[in-house]
């Protein structure tokens, strides 16, 4: 009897110890989060006051107030240093954990009678999911990678951090492109001057390719071709650093050659034995570039430049020998439009009057997102169009039919499921907070929506 009383008391002690430990952990975490938020708010307010003081001082500058001005700035700088010192003494911030959200029930396919396939039948690989690269704001170092599992209907946020907990600063600053080649996933991280190379099924890091101000990536015959602005991020009408395309051996992840093109080259496309590069001149406002460079892939030399329009951005080659080219315009008098080039003669052919910010090609349907800014109207023009590339006609100016497009703040990225024809559209919201991923069926009606990372932008379809 005495023994049972001791055991009962010990059990209560264990429960009490566990409860106390749980409360301590919870309290410590709460204090840490509260302190971090307090530091953030205090720092933001301090920056605001510092900026206001500078503006006031320079606007109402008087010689007799120099000493007071210096004293005020010295005090503010001292407070800034104190905050920075305090922040640097904190422990490293914890990795944001992966978040899994069920978005779509997965129904098993209906059983079918087995049929003996003919010898000429080519089986298509099974689409099992897709990755979504979130750009995040420049300087925030918050680019993240999400994954939509089409076999389970679950959406996974921030999988890179979970798959690679030992990688410092996670993906990096501004995710600009995402592609799959072979067994690897390539994420172009623009302002971190690198391309993260991962296993396409697990997102575990394999290596890194270092290329300054890298923009877009494409592949052919064991090589990756990457556009690079080459120079620093700065707006300068007299910008002197010309851009280039880097040739990377995918076996060694080393740059083996470079080909100079125009200023600030953006997306590239490969058609036959030629590489096409959209030269933007985006840093040289108002002296934009207006050409598409043509590179012979065998000699890796530029053989021609095709004049099209200023501030070029995206390229897509269709199965009819056309290369579709987008222009951002100048945000004043020159609108964003869609153009096409004949890849047999490498000549400019025509244009369609529709604004284009992002696009994706599915068969003969070119799906378009347009979010054109005008300084005159001080507003955005939004479009959700479809172009028939065979007929070279705009067949729809809004593929969303249920009014859900009115709920989007800033349509930003687009992809089409080649099997179900579902349309995936991302919303960057206000560019600061997490965005959203919408799924519409082939008739343009919403199926589901889920929260993403900041500025969701670039898709990569994953096949089994």
């Amino acid at each position: 009897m005495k023994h049972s009383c001791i055991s009962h008391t010990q059990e209560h002690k264990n429960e009490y110890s566990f409860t106390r430990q749980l409360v301590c952990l919870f309290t410590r975490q709460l204090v840490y989060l509260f302190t971090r938020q307090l530091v953030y708010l205090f720092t933001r307010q301090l920056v605001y006051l510092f900026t206001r003081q500078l503006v006031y001082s320079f606007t109402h500058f008087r010689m007799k107030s120099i000493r007071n001005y210096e004293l005020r700035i010295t005090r503010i700088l001292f407070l800034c240093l104190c905050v920075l010192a305090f922040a640097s003494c904190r422990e490293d911030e914890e990795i944001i954990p992966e978040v899994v959200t069920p978005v779509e029930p997965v129904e098993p396919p209906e059983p079918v009678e087995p049929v003996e396939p003919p010898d000429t039948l080519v089986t298509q690989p099974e689409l099992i999911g897709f990755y979504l690269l979130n750009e995040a704001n420049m300087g925030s170092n918050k680019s993240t990678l999400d994954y939509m599992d089409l076999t389970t209907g679950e959406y996974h946020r921030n999988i890179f951090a979970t798959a690679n907990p030992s990688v410092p600063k996670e993906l990096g600053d501004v995710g600009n492109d995402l592609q799959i080649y072979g067994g690897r996933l390539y994420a172009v991280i623009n302002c971190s001057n690198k391309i993260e190379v991962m296993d396409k099924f697990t997102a575990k890091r394999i290596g890194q390719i270092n290329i300054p101000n890298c923009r877009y990536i494409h592949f052919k015959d064991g090589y990756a071709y990457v556009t690079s602005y080459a120079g620093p991020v700065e707006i300068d009408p007299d910008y002197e650093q010309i851009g280039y395309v880097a040739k990377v051996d995918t076996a060694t992840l080393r740059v083996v050659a470079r080909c100079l093109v125009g200023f600030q080259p953006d997306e590239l496309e490969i058609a036959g034995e030629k590489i096409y590069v959209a030269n933007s001149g985006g840093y040289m406002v108002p002296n934009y570039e207006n050409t598409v460079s043509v590179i012979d892939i065998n000699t890796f030399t530029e053989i021609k430049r095709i004049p099209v329009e200023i501030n070029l951005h995206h390229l897509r080659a269709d199965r009819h020998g056309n290369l579709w080219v987008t222009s951002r315009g100048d945000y004043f008098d020159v609108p964003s439009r869609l153009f096409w080039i004949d890849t047999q003669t490498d000549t400019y052919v025509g244009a369609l009057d529709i604004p284009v910010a992002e696009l994706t090609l599915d068969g003969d349907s070119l799906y378009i997102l347009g979010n054109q800014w005008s300084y005159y109207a001080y507003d955005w023009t939004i479009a959700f169009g479809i172009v028939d590339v065979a007929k070279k006609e705009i067949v729809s100016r809004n593929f969303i039919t249920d009014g859900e497009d009115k709920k989007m703040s800033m349509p930003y990225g687009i992809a089409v499921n080649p099997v179900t024809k579902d349309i995936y559209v991302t919303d960057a919201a206000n560019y600061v907070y997490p965005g959203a991923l919408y799924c519409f069926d082939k008739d343009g009606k919403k199926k589901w929506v889920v929260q993403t990372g900041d500025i969701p932008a670039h898709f990569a379809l994953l096949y089994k």
Side-chain angles (χ1 to χ4, degrees):
M1 192 70 182
K2 184 177 180 181
H3 176 74
S4 63
C5 289
I6 293 174
S7 299
H8 189 67
T9 304
Q10 186 64 40
E11 182 179 347
H12 274 284
K13 285 183 178 179
N14 290 338
E15 290 178 358
Y16 172 74
S17 177
F18 174 75
T19 304
R20 184 175 60 180
Q21 186 177 5
L22 190 63
V23 169
C24 287
L25 289 173
F26 177 76
T27 305
R28 186 172 62 180
Q29 185 68 9
L30 193 63
V31 170
Y32 166 70
L33 292 174
F34 176 76
T35 305
R36 185 172 65 177
Q37 185 67 15
L38 189 63
V39 170
Y40 166 73
L41 291 173
F42 178 69
T43 305
R44 188 173 66 177
Q45 185 67 16
L46 195 60
V47 169
Y48 165 73
L49 292 173
F50 179 57
T51 305
R52 190 174 67 173
Q53 182 65 46
L54 280 178
V55 172
Y56 174 84
S57 299
F58 283 114
T59 305
H60 304 85
F61 185 76
R62 296 291 185 272
M63 289 299 295
K64 64 181 181 180
S65 63
I66 290 179
R67 185 164 299 176
N68 291 335
Y69 162 78
E70 290 178 345
L71 181 60
R72 286 195 296 268
I73 296 301
T74 301
R75 288 173 177 172
I76 293 174
L77 287 175
F78 176 75
L79 287 174
C80 287
L81 289 173
C82 289
V83 170
L84 289 173
F86 176 75
S88 64
C89 291
R90 292 185 296 131
E91 296 180 355
D92 293 336
E93 292 189 6
E94 59 182 350
I95 296 174
I96 300 174
E98 177 183 337
V99 178
V100 181
T101 307
V103 295
E104 183 179 30
V106 178
E107 299 180 359
E110 295 181 2
V112 295
E113 293 293 328
V115 178
E116 188 69 25
D119 294 338
T120 57
L121 182 65
V122 178
T123 58
Q124 296 295 325
E126 179 186 355
L127 180 65
I128 59 175
F130 61 82
Y131 290 99
L132 177 58
L133 181 63
N134 301 290
E135 285 185 3
N137 272 302
M138 183 182 296
S140 68
N141 205 61
K142 288 174 60 180
S143 181
T144 57
L145 184 66
D146 297 350
Y147 177 68
M148 176 63 200
D149 190 332
L150 294 175
T151 65
T152 64
E154 293 180 332
Y155 189 79
H156 301 250
R157 287 180 59 196
N158 198 24
I159 64 168
F160 184 84
T162 303
N164 305 278
S166 62
V167 176
K169 297 186 178 180
E170 301 181 19
L171 268 179
D173 196 6
V174 186
N176 207 71
D177 196 15
L178 188 69
Q179 301 289 337
I180 291 176
Y181 182 70
R184 296 176 176 181
L185 176 67
Y186 295 77
V188 179
I189 312 301
N190 175 216
C191 291
S192 291
N193 306 305
K194 66 174 182 176
I195 300 167
E196 284 287 352
V197 185
M198 297 160 274
D199 181 277
K200 74 174 184 179
F201 292 116
T202 65
K204 287 188 178 296
R205 191 173 191 265
I206 294 173
Q208 177 178 309
I209 306 167
N210 298 314
I211 296 177
N213 212 336
C214 44
R215 299 291 292 176
Y216 291 90
I217 189 169
H218 214 80
F219 301 89
K220 185 176 174 64
D221 298 334
Y223 291 98
Y225 297 91
V226 183
T227 51
S228 169
Y229 280 11
V233 179
E234 62 180 12
I235 303 300
D236 183 358
D238 300 316
Y239 201 91
E240 296 182 351
Q241 179 62 59
I242 199 168
Y244 65 83
V245 175
K247 182 178 182 180
V248 180
D249 187 333
T250 57
T252 62
L253 303 183
R254 293 182 179 275
V255 176
V256 296
R258 294 177 178 84
C259 178
L260 296 179
V261 285
F263 289 97
Q264 289 85 61
D266 271 316
E267 195 163 27
L268 70 167
E269 178 69 291
I270 297 177
E273 297 301 309
K274 291 179 286 189
I275 304 172
Y276 295 86
V277 183
N279 298 309
S280 73
Y283 288 170
M284 303 174 68
V285 182
N287 304 323
Y288 295 104
E289 275 266 22
N290 68 344
T291 63
V292 170
S293 290
V294 185
I295 298 173
D296 182 293
I297 202 166
N298 297 306
T299 61
F300 201 51
T301 55
E302 185 184 48
I303 57 176
K304 188 175 183 178
R305 289 196 188 180
I306 308 169
V308 180
E309 182 59 283
I310 64 168
N311 202 4
L312 301 180
H313 190 191
H314 291 300
L315 301 176
R316 287 294 182 278
D318 66 24
R319 57 189 175 187
H320 304 287
N322 303 305
L323 179 71
W324 296 88
V325 187
T326 74
S327 163
R328 302 181 182 94
D330 67 353
Y331 316 106
F332 286 96
D333 300 303
V334 181
S336 169
R337 290 197 297 168
L338 179 65
F339 306 85
W340 74 91
I341 290 170
D342 185 335
T343 59
Q344 299 302 312
T345 61
D346 287 337
T347 55
Y348 166 82
V349 180
L352 293 175
D353 188 16
I354 185 170
V356 185
E358 285 291 338
L359 73 171
T360 188
L361 184 62
D362 180 64
D364 281 347
S365 296
L366 188 65
Y367 289 79
I368 287 170
L369 285 187
N371 51 10
Q372 176 180 260
W373 172 257
S374 170
Y375 279 104
Y376 289 141
Y378 217 74
D379 199 3
W380 295 92
T381 299
I382 306 297
F384 300 87
I386 301 177
V387 170
D388 185 322
V389 297
K391 297 178 181 179
K392 300 179 179 63
E393 294 178 355
I394 301 171
V395 295
S396 173
R397 287 189 178 270
N398 195 346
F399 53 75
I400 299 175
T401 60
D402 59 0
E404 286 292 320
D405 55 305
K406 303 297 189 299
K407 299 179 182 179
M408 296 185 189
S409 301
M410 185 52 58
Y412 204 79
I414 185 169
V416 174
N417 187 315
V419 180
T420 65
K421 304 305 177 182
D422 286 345
I423 308 165
Y424 306 111
V425 178
T426 67
D427 182 6
N430 63 356
Y431 293 101
V432 177
Y433 296 107
L437 169 64
Y438 287 79
C439 176
F440 299 91
D441 65 20
K442 62 182 180 180
D443 298 318
K445 293 179 171 55
K446 188 182 82 171
K447 296 176 68 174
W448 48 263
V449 62
V450 68
Q451 189 181 76
T452 65
D454 296 357
I455 314 182
H458 310 284
F459 293 85
L461 302 181
L462 179 64
Y463 292 89
K464 190 172 182 179

